[in-house]
Amino acid sequence: MKKGLLYAIMASVLWAIVNPFIKQGLSYDFTPMNFAGLRFTIVGIILFIYSWHKSMWKEILENRKLFLNLIFINMFMGYTAFYWGVDFVSGAISSIIMGMTPLINVLLAHLIARNDKLNCYKIISLIISFIGLILIIGTGSDGKPLDWKGLVGIILLILSIIFQGYSAISVSEDKARINPIFLNAVQMFFGGLFIYIIGLSTEGFHSFIGKPTGFYICLGTLVFISVFAFSFWFIALQTNGSKVSDINMCRLINPILGAILSWVMLEGEYPTFSTVTGMLIIVSSLIIYFKGESIISRLKKQ
């Protein structure tokens, strides 16, 4: 279980870096689905080269249900919603909303997974986290109320969490135990290619040749993160003794680190009372989730 949590923490730290680089990359006259598709297809090619083996097509066919789940629900639906959501709200707010991932996935695990049910401390943790979310939804990066575009962005980000949470439970409960790097290669390549093709038909072609250096730095950073983060994540989910809900709680690293990076890297974004308070409330929900029972026990002894 400790091994699983370690890999989950490493993946979460890498994912926390994502949002500011996506915002920066999209600022170079690029559209969300074109950018996402390009990124993930490149990642898939790199991982396919690394994990190529003779029986891989047979393995894909034998486990087609799991792979189709990852390609269409996790990659296409999850990341289409994610990229559009990030494009509609500030980098800091998108990082903080994605920090809700663990708590939404705890609820999903209770509804879907075996032997991963809610207790009173998890329920209290969920309620507190939603209070923090309400504070964040009320304001934009400038402290003013969000417009319809910002609210749609938040809804898309929450949908992204639900799609990806469902896929994470599928990987965790799958008995085939496919090599996590190969699993990542298949979902990234085919999912990324599908996103890119849909992007071409809905957004038109946006050339990635002759862009400023900053664009390639953002794309390269995102490719590096995707190569390692999802591979670490699948290792964590497949580790014996690990629960989906506990592994997902490690992702509460994202709102803190991601919001701080957005405030540092992106022009016009800065902390406000509501966003910082909402972030701290969400973090406190993690403490209750993991330590609620032990805290109450200590208080009773005193």
Side-chain angles (χ1 to χ4, degrees), residues 40 49 75 138 195 198 204 218 251 257 266-267 293 296:
F40 295 134
I49 292 169
M75 291 301 299
I195 291 171
I198 297 297
C218 291
R251 294 190 68 171
L257 185 55
L266 301 176
E267 187 179 350
E293 192 170 355
I296 296 297

Side-chain angles (χ1 to χ4, degrees), residues 121 287-302:
Y121 301 104
I287 298 170
I288 293 170
Y289 177 89
F290 276 119
K291 297 294 183 180
E293 192 170 355
S294 62
I295 291 169
I296 296 297
S297 298
R298 287 175 186 174
L299 290 172
K300 284 181 178 178
K301 287 178 182 179
Q302 290 176 358

